[in-house]
Amino acid sequence: MHALGIPTTRAGSIITSESTVVRDLLYDGHPIDEHCAVVLRLAPTFIRFGSFEICLPPSPYSGMSGSSNGVEDTLLPQLYEHVIKFHFPKYWQKFTENELTTEDMYFEVFKEIAKRTAEVVAKWQGAGFCHGVLNTDNMSILGLTIDYGPFGFMNHFNPDHI
């Protein structure tokens, strides 16, 4: 991905084992045994969209809630402040210089995250990259490709690939 100019985490190391797992590498119905491996990935942060769901109230459908439901008034402002200070400092500076209200700062950061996400997804599409599990736990707030399993590349356009 990096060589294709697509924002991504970087591999720091890889460890393989003698254990195997069955994988259908080409998604063509021909699974094979493949050695298991662990890849150490490096990034400025691994904060994901899902990191903010930790304080979700109970769902009216499933009854499930975030593991820190009930402390959102203290936890979320700390998470927002950390994210903005360290990963979106230009908005933090405008806030501290009274150029942005708290609400406006949050909105500007939200727009920046949405923009970066749209850009990385467009680059994925341009390279034929198909993310197999695209959910809030696999979406970086920095617009990086952070999760590589399962995934594939289309060799030719096939609208029924996924």
Side-chain angles (χ1 to χ4, degrees), residues 5 13 15 37 44 49 74 80 93 95 108 110-111 114 121 128 151 159:
S13 68
I15 299 170
F49 290 9
T74 55
Y80 294 149
Q93 182 177 351
F95 169 71
E108 291 301 317
F110 173 79
K111 289 190 311 187
V121 171
F151 73 91

Side-chain angles (χ1 to χ4, degrees), residues 32-45:
I32 62 169
D33 284 339
E34 183 179 57
H35 284 279
C36 298
V38 175
V39 178
L40 169 69
R41 306 234 25 113
L42 305 171
T45 186

Side-chain angles (χ1 to χ4, degrees), residues 21-154:
V21 64
V22 177
R23 303 256 182 189
D24 187 353
L25 298 177
L26 300 176
Y27 305 102
D28 62 358
H30 298 96
I32 62 169
D33 284 339
E34 183 179 57
H35 284 279
C36 298
V38 175
V39 178
L40 169 69
R41 306 234 25 113
L42 305 171
T45 186
F46 282 93
I47 296 176
R48 306 155 188 243
F49 290 9
S51 301
F52 297 92
E53 295 177 329
I54 195 167
C55 295
L56 282 178
S59 164
Y61 305 105
S62 69
M64 295 180 67
S65 64
S67 59
S68 294
N69 177 41
V71 296
E72 58 274 0
D73 291 342
T74 55
L75 186 60
L76 285 178
Q78 291 174 2
L79 180 57
Y80 294 149
E81 183 176 318
H82 170 81
V83 164
I84 297 167
K85 271 185 179 178
F86 291 99
H87 303 293
F88 300 93
K90 72 179 181 183
Y91 300 113
W92 183 258
Q93 182 177 351
K94 288 182 179 185
F95 169 71
T96 60
E97 294 172 356
N98 294 317
E99 294 178 32
L100 289 174
T101 64
T102 302
E103 185 176 306
D104 289 340
M105 176 180 60
Y106 290 167
F107 185 62
E108 291 301 317
V109 170
F110 173 79
K111 289 190 311 187
E112 182 70 23
I113 291 170
K115 177 181 166 282
R116 291 180 185 192
T117 301
E119 289 171 351
V120 76
V121 171
K123 288 180 179 186
W124 290 348
Q125 291 175 332
F129 178 73
C130 303
H131 200 297
V133 188
L134 195 55
N135 56 34
T136 59
D137 190 47
N138 295 325
M139 295 302 299
S140 162
I141 63 164
L142 299 181
L144 302 174
T145 308
I146 57 175
D147 192 317
Y148 284 92
F151 73 91
F153 283 91
M154 291 177 25

